[in-house]
Amino acid sequence: METLVYKVFKALMISMIMVFVFDISMYLIKANTLKRKVENIMSSMQDVVSENNYLPPESYEMYKTLFIQLMNEMNGESGTTLKMRPASTNKWFFSGLQFNYNHDPVNCLSVLQVKRNGSNINALARNMAVEAKYGDIMIVQAKVQVEQPNWFYSGALNNEAGLNKKTAKNDVPHTEFYFTYYVPCLKFKRAV
Amino acid sequence: MMRLARRCMIIIVINIGLLILAATLIEYWTIQDKLLKLERVVQRSVDAAVESSVTAEELFGENKGLYESNTGGFNDEAGTALVWATNGGSGQLYSLNQYALAVYLAEHPNKTIYNLTSGDISSAQDSYTANKAFELMYGQVGINRNNDWAIPKSKREKYAYLAGLGYTDSREPTTNFENFYISIGSASHSVQSLKERRTIGSRVYYTLVEKDVSPLLQMGLKLSEYNEATTGYTVPITNEKYLSSIKPSSFGSKSKFFHLTPYSLGITYVPTEVLVPLVQNNININARFLALNGLRSNNTADANSIMNKATGCMKTNVFFNGGAIADSHSSATNTYGNPIVSDGDVEYDLSTIKCKVDYFCFDYAKAVGTTRLSRVISYLDGDESGYSYSPYASPTVRNFGGSTLAQYNTQKIMNSDSMYTYYNGIGKLQYYNGKRIIARVSVRLKVHIVYSSPILQWLCREYTGGAGHEHYDVKQVDVDTGTLYEGTTSDTDGVWYQYTTYIAVTR
């Protein structure tokens, strides 16, 4: 009898551990797949930016479409926008993406000093929609919003005040992956 | 006891085998990323360098006209490439005109892209003039004053002012440019108006003649007899532009000048004097910026520190004989400095970069070429039936881009065998030349695709005789003999990578 109880508890414990391990493993596999696919597309975008000193509008539309297709493929849905979803309505693994195209990039350099004629100037271009000069450095960034696994400890939810907050309890936690690249603009443009 | 020992031995052997297998598999798994990085760096660098070395003619153009002191205002933003140079041991980014860079490196043979200092940058910028760039790429800057009859009266004062600055009639082209002109540059030509001077008795007459010559003659270098007017001709024929390689600007004061370049004249020419340093520089810069990817810090010092570490060979994971310092892949310094730059996965040897430019001529107006070209165009439009070879045929009307039939006729691809054609509706010409020059640019360099796995690095070390001899990297195999490829000399360190691209300028 004691052996039976021991075996049952042992099986339960191993099951719990295996569920946790497999859940996290599946999440890591999905996250890694997403990372590789986003990096593939971003490497092509870097080439376009390097050749044009900015991201032309038609190229921006093309990459937007590519990412929407990727999003639909990963989520098994048929969405039409890259807009980041709020946590309360977010049910997808890959739930939003934002470029620094008419947006400011975050979590990256804001100044990169280049010495010109003895003075330090900031050669960093932060908006992909605006054409940079030959010799500037363009930031190419994609901020990807992904679902976070539910296995986390939250101090806020661990007290009554946190549990009573309906939005906090029902929200799907999410996190952001940043893909940031610094691309030198090597296209010689007509002098003005 | 024996059984336990045997089991332990078996487990150890199996683990070692699995370790080696896993290391090899991971290496294969990541090598594609490394190769993609290599391709990306070299392709971006070469494409940008080719285009910049060919198309930066605006720096010689009228709207950026030179000043009397010939500094040309090149300290401003135009044409300023990013260059990596050291200042007291650590490096940082500098902004330097790409032609100033090329001129400085040509004038200082002991200086290379990978041993530039901040003092070199200052010297290059301060001593640079646009005339020096022109003389490096094309030929001497000078003016012929023996044929003022060819110069319009409104411009004679400006040319006289030029002569007063000390320019002489030394307009010899560089060896490279002259060879280009003789071998293929003269193949692309167009009809130009020249002035002919005839003397009958004591009277002198001038008349306008049309000659089918290369547009490169307008650069004013001594490329043909028309550039000297009096040489070998009893009847001098020339053009104002042919007599001077520095032209007075039509705008502003008489102290502004400019040059004509092959690009401004619609001819493809890739000056290797500028191409090679730009390729080296672009690879140097692109590799450093790849190492910077993903940086989240907002501190320029962090960025510079990461880019500094890109200089030289990467550290390995091999600590031999219990040493406290990891082996480096190789000691790669030469007479000029350390030519290796790495992007974290691949090392590029900047001292091995070789560039080759081949030219060939393609006649777009020939029937065969027209077929090929119309097929290319038809892919854009989906229907090639609207194109005809004969100027007098009635083509299937295609409302291409909203143009009328008359406009369409004048823009057709013409057959160069036809004697009479229309040229943009301006008037009849004797014949139309469709030849255009295409340049094929090939760049070759030695790269080291280093192993990430310590086990493979250690195996390489054992094979190559210890640290400092060769890189622990992917080797090239001679498929005929099955041994390591040695080339003409012992060449087992690294692999050669080659990239080829094409560029054509047309008018």
Side-chain angles (χ1 to χ4, degrees), chain B residues 144 169-173 178 220-224 227-228 242:
Chain B
N144 175 312
D169 191 19
S170 51
R171 297 175 291 130
E172 299 299 327
E178 190 175 25
L221 296 167
K222 289 181 184 174
L223 292 171
S224 81
N227 289 111
E228 299 195 69
Y242 291 14

Side-chain angles (χ1 to χ4, degrees), chain A residues 61-163:
Chain A
E61 292 300 325
M62 181 193 77
Y63 285 112
K64 203 167 120 183
T65 309
L66 276 175
F67 277 114
I68 290 173
Q69 285 171 358
L70 175 63
M71 192 189 275
N72 292 338
E73 180 193 319
M74 295 216 76
N75 298 331
E77 298 279 347
S78 52
T80 55
T81 171
L82 286 175
K83 198 173 166 188
M84 300 222 174
R85 287 160 185 76
S88 57
T89 60
N90 178 22
K91 293 180 181 58
W92 294 356
F93 170 70
F94 176 7
S95 56
L97 185 143
Q98 187 180 83
F99 298 117
N100 59 321
Y101 191 89
N102 290 327
H103 291 278
D104 272 335
V106 291
N107 289 348
C108 60
L109 288 172
S110 56
V111 169
L112 186 59
Q113 307 273 5
V114 172
K115 206 150 218 160
R116 182 177 290 166
N117 296 330
S119 311
N120 278 329
I121 58 156
N122 183 12
L124 214 54
R126 293 167 63 82
N127 184 355
M128 280 201 286
V130 175
E131 197 172 318
K133 294 186 280 284
Y134 178 42
D136 280 353
I137 300 135
M138 177 70 77
I139 296 178
V140 175
Q141 188 185 70
K143 185 168 80 171
V144 177
Q145 183 176 290
V146 294
E147 173 208 357
Q148 205 175 18
N150 285 324
W151 304 93
F152 66 98
Y153 174 79
S154 167
L157 291 181
N158 213 27
N159 58 50
E160 200 169 313
L163 281 172

